[in-house]
């Protein structure tokens, strides 16, 4: 829902319907989304709230996730007081009394893990939040928070694509598998660079993806999503498109079957070198 914003109610509803039609039921938003639009901070949540007000039945069909903790100009705040206020504000904008998954959007270095754990536990015990996770946390930050919590940390949301391999290399995916954390991969198309490659590396990755895409009759984007989802940590690619036709393409992810060689071919093109 990052770009879910400056449109009318009918267009917003069409995007959501396209996702449901493709079998997508997980909707990922955040309080900061839409801050670059005229209505500013909270705009994307507020638009989704208008959709719910117009069609209340849609809320029960989705897993609703949101995030908070980014403060324009600060830049981060995960204090006990701020987390509580941010969740209440998101609930108000969305027009709901419960968010299924709430994640800390970015790590606040000035908040002790124990304080953050207490804030998240309070949110769950109050019934306002069903489960909690983190976004853009390092493995060490995740470990520190998990150790402070008496409820599960259920998710992590790192950047991951064939052009951003850090979670494969820094232990994040291994940690997720170790602790059964759901992984949501943001910017799965490399910020558009997979669709419109410019550098030699980007073109090499696109070429390998195209071979697989053509073999299964899917788009390059769908092949990329399926490559991400093929990892045993079972990452969920967060699809950012706001075009109903492209959202619909996501259903084709299951048409692709990756051989080990084909999957590694993409990885090696992304690395710019062959594995030993």
């Amino acid at each position: 829902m990052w770009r879910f914003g400056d449109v009318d109610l009918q267009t917003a509803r069409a995007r959501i319907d396209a996702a449901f039609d493709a079998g997508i039921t997980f909707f990922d938003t955040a309080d900061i989304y839409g801050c670059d639009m005229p209505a500013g901070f909270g705009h994307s949540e507020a638009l989704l709230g208008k959709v719910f007000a117009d069609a209340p039945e849609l809320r029960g069909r989705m897993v609703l996730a949101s995030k908070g903790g980014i403060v324009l100009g600060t830049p981060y705040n995960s204090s006990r007081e701020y987390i509580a206020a941010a969740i209440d504000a998101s609930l108000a904008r969305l027009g709901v009394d419960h968010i299924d998954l709430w994640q800390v959007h970015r790590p606040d270095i000035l908040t002790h893990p124990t304080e953050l754990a207490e804030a998240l536990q309070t949110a769950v015990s109050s019934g306002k939040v069903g489960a909690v996770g983190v976004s853009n946390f390092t493995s060490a930050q995740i470990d520190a928070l998990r150790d402070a919590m008496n409820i599960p940390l259920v998710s992590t949301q790192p950047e991951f694509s064939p052009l951003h391999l850090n979670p494969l290399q820094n232990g994040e995916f291994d940690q997720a598998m170790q602790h059964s954390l759901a992984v949501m991969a943001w910017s799965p198309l490399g910020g558009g660079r997979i669709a419109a490659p410019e550098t030699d590396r980007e073109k090499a990755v696109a070429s390998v993806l195209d071979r697989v895409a053509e073999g299964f009759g899917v788009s390059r984007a769908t092949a990329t999503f399926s490559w991400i989802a093929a990892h045993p940590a079972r990452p969920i690619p967060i699809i950012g498109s706001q075009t109903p036709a492209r959202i619909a393409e996501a259903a084709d992810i299951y048409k692709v079957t990756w051989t080990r060689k084909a999957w590694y071919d993409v990885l090696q093109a992304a690395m710019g070198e062959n594995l030993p």
Side-chain angles (χ1 to χ4, degrees):
M1 314 293 281
W2 173 29
R3 299 182 182 91
F4 185 78
D6 198 15
V7 295
D8 58 28
L9 186 61
Q10 183 179 1
T11 302
R13 173 66 188 270
R15 294 171 176 176
I16 292 174
D17 287 340
F20 282 135
D21 290 344
I24 296 170
T25 57
F26 178 81
F27 288 74
D28 172 70
T29 189
D31 57 11
I32 194 72
Y33 291 169
C35 68
D36 56 343
M37 298 175 188
F41 190 92
H43 181 64
S44 292
E45 284 185 327
L47 178 58
L48 183 55
K50 292 177 182 177
V51 173
F52 289 153
D54 184 64
E57 71 278 6
L58 296 183
R59 171 64 186 94
R61 295 175 59 189
M62 67 173 64
V63 176
L64 177 61
S66 194
K67 299 181 289 292
I70 297 178
V71 182
L72 295 174
T74 297
Y76 310 129
N77 190 340
S78 289
S79 66
R80 183 184 294 104
E81 295 78 13
Y82 183 82
I83 292 296
I87 291 172
D88 284 345
S90 287
L91 290 169
R93 283 188 291 266
L94 291 162
V96 300
D97 59 8
H98 180 81
I99 295 171
D100 299 309
L101 172 66
W102 193 87
Q103 298 178 112
V104 185
H105 205 157
R106 294 269 178 181
D108 173 22
I109 297 167
L110 294 179
T111 296
H112 194 285
T114 300
E115 180 180 356
L116 177 55
E118 291 172 353
L120 296 176
Q121 288 159 188
T122 297
V124 172
S125 64
S126 71
K128 296 176 181 178
V129 169
V132 291
V134 296
S135 178
N136 301 296
F137 274 49
T138 67
S139 293
Q141 289 166 336
I142 290 172
D143 277 338
L145 181 57
R146 287 187 72 257
D147 285 349
M149 294 181 68
N150 59 25
I151 61 173
L153 192 72
V154 305
S155 65
T156 179
Q157 190 166 338
E159 180 180 2
F160 179 63
S161 75
L163 300 180
H164 188 90
L165 302 172
N166 289 15
L168 286 178
Q169 301 161 333
N170 63 13
E172 286 182 73
F173 280 180
D174 302 290
Q175 179 186 48
M177 292 185 287
Q178 179 184 6
H179 298 298
S180 299
L181 300 177
V183 177
M184 279 82 79
W186 66 267
S187 199
L189 298 180
R193 290 176 294 147
I194 286 177
E198 296 181 358
T199 68
D200 289 344
R201 174 182 177 239
E202 291 164 5
K203 291 175 182 177
V205 169
S207 177
V208 180
L209 287 166
D210 281 346
R211 291 204 301 267
V212 174
E214 290 164 7
F216 288 94
V218 300
S219 68
R220 183 189 300 166
T222 298
T224 306
F225 298 148
S226 67
W227 183 85
I228 290 169
H231 188 278
R234 299 176 63 84
I236 302 165
I238 301 297
I239 299 164
S241 176
Q242 301 297 300
T243 305
R246 292 196 177 276
I247 295 171
E249 285 183 5
D252 291 340
I253 190 172
Y254 299 107
K255 295 181 179 179
V256 183
T257 301
W258 287 90
T259 64
R260 270 182 163 74
K261 180 182 185 308
W263 195 91
Y264 276 112
D265 283 347
V266 175
L267 178 62
Q268 291 175 124
M271 295 173 59
E273 61 182 354
N274 290 332
L275 290 163

